[in-house]
Amino acid sequence: MEEESMEEEGGGGCEAMMDDQNHNNWGAGGYGRHLLGPAADPLGDRLLRGPADGPTSGPELSDVPEANGVLRGCEPGKGGAGAIAAAININASTSKFLMNVITIEDYKSTYWPKLDSAIDQLLTQSPGDYIPISYEQIYSCVYKCVCQQHSEQMYSDLIKKITNHLERVSKELQASPPDLYIERFNVALGQYMGALQSIVPLFIYMNKFYIETKLNRDLKDDLIKLFTEHVAEKHIYNLMPLLLEAQSTPFQITPSTMANIVKGLYTLRPEWVQMAPALFSKFIPNILPPAVESELQEYAAQDQKLQRELMQNGFDR
């Protein structure tokens, strides 16, 4: 029942709102009904393109010949019942739109709580978990709030929500013992990057019509930057010595864990390569300068050392 009331409350709002500060003179149309977004939905694609790229799905309100409550060109006594009925329908449609405006109070009490709950679940899910949320409902909530010019508030709430989550993650890592530190950092990094795979598409309309257009940024880049600032930067100087120690002790941590962390750190801040070039070069191509002939014997000695270590740990040649 709650979902139905929300659909009735928000329905029709964006179709009537053709020109506002966030939407670049949208054409009329429905929202994309699937998480895949506009690429799989012609209506959603029309919304993202706008009237400059193709025709809209119907006339705008300004195209209707209406003046002072009656159709233009219909003199009294000449339009008959049809003209009166048309005028009544137009006024009823306008009234319906005005009645369905989402106020800031509606946004805070009804729409954002649903988004807040869904984001919570996405940020804390484990790989393979089933999340009992309606992606279509969340997608619709975002769409309606963008149409009703709540993009700025929604973006602010999203950033604050994720920042608070990452600060809690950072505190939990600080309390981790050294033998669990690397593994827990790997879990936090993987969990967050996995959550972005769902969060970013759900907010595609806000990204397209507010973040990209008005802020000249991108939502995914902003959210990755949050992890860098609130987690990775605070832990890199504790994490790197442990990674170097683990590298010198084969199989202290799994190769997949080491690879995930090193590649993740490089994605967050490429200049961190300078802290441990040899470590990053094992997982990131073309980090070190090209090999030179004078160092071939040193490379061979390193390979022999690695083979001895593998044999000592039970691996045959």
Side-chain angles (χ1 to χ4, degrees):
M1 292 297 293
E2 186 176 0
E3 291 185 23
E4 293 177 2
S5 64
M6 177 175 293
E7 293 295 330
E8 293 175 1
E9 179 184 4
C14 204
E15 293 180 2
M17 185 174 297
M18 299 299 170
D19 191 8
D20 60 60
Q21 63 182 3
N22 294 334
H23 312 108
N24 296 321
N25 207 16
W26 287 15
Y31 69 89
R33 300 185 186 281
H34 303 286
L35 187 58
L36 293 176
D41 188 338
L43 292 179
D45 182 55
R46 233 174 5 252
L47 277 172
L48 290 179
R49 293 201 318 267
D53 300 310
T56 58
S57 60
E60 296 188 356
L61 291 181
S62 58
D63 296 330
V64 180
E66 179 189 11
N68 299 324
V70 296
L71 299 184
R72 284 195 287 266
C74 293
E75 299 178 8
K78 292 186 178 181
I84 296 174
I88 292 174
N89 287 338
I90 293 171
N91 289 334
S93 176
T94 304
S95 298
K96 182 176 185 296
F97 163 66
L98 294 174
M99 291 169 58
N100 283 306
V101 169
I102 300 175
T103 65
I104 188 62
E105 291 76 17
D106 296 332
Y107 165 82
K108 292 180 177 180
S109 64
T110 303
Y111 287 84
W112 175 250
K114 290 184 178 295
L115 298 175
D116 183 275
S117 176
I119 294 167
D120 254 338
Q121 295 182 64
L122 292 170
L123 288 173
T124 57
Q125 68 177 325
S126 299
D129 280 357
Y130 169 72
I131 304 300
I133 63 175
S134 169
Y135 283 88
E136 184 175 3
Q137 183 188 59
I138 301 306
Y139 195 60
S140 175
C141 281
V142 172
Y143 170 81
K144 293 172 183 176
C145 292
V146 169
C147 287
Q148 297 280 322
Q149 304 187 46
H150 296 301
S151 296
E152 183 176 0
Q153 182 66 53
M154 184 163 52
Y155 175 73
S156 175
D157 289 339
L158 177 64
I159 295 300
K160 182 178 179 181
K161 170 75 177 177
I162 294 183
T163 297
N164 290 338
H165 167 77
L166 292 176
E167 289 177 348
R168 290 193 298 270
V169 169
S170 181
K171 290 180 181 179
E172 292 172 359
L173 284 173
Q174 288 175 351
S176 298
D179 58 326
L180 299 177
Y181 192 93
I182 293 177
E183 188 60 43
R184 289 183 178 177
F185 184 91
N186 182 55
V187 170
L189 176 63
Q191 190 176 50
Y192 184 74
M193 292 302 182
L196 295 193
Q197 298 300 313
S198 295
I199 292 174
V200 172
L202 286 174
F203 285 86
I204 184 174
Y205 285 107
M206 182 182 72
N207 189 46
K208 182 68 177 177
F209 296 107
Y210 176 70
I211 302 175
E212 291 183 359
T213 303
K214 194 167 184 178
L215 305 181
N216 296 316
R217 297 202 303 267
D218 178 77
L219 178 60
K220 184 176 181 180
D221 293 342
D222 284 0
L223 298 185
I224 289 177
K225 184 179 179 182
L226 287 181
F227 188 91
T228 304
E229 293 177 347
H230 295 281
V231 179
E233 285 183 352
K234 294 180 179 179
H235 294 272
I236 186 67
Y237 294 104
N238 291 330
L239 179 65
M240 193 59 67
L242 294 175
L243 291 176
L244 293 172
E245 181 183 348
Q247 180 194 22
S248 64
T249 308
F251 311 106
Q252 180 174 332
I253 62 174
T254 64
S256 62
T257 296
M258 180 70 79
N260 289 340
I261 293 178
V262 171
K263 291 178 180 179
L265 292 175
Y266 183 76
T267 299
L268 298 176
R269 190 65 62 79
E271 54 265 35
W272 282 339
V273 167
Q274 303 305 319
M275 298 179 67
L279 173 62
F280 279 85
S281 68
K282 294 181 180 296
F283 305 97
I284 310 295
N286 303 320
I287 291 296
L288 297 178
V292 294
E293 184 177 356
S294 61
E295 297 178 351
L296 291 179
Q297 291 184 348
E298 181 180 349
Y299 298 147
Q302 292 176 356
D303 289 341
Q304 292 173 0
K305 178 183 177 182
L306 177 60
Q307 291 177 10
R308 288 195 299 270
E309 291 173 346
L310 290 172
M311 294 176 64
Q312 292 172 0
N313 286 275
F315 286 81
D316 297 329
R317 298 189 58 150

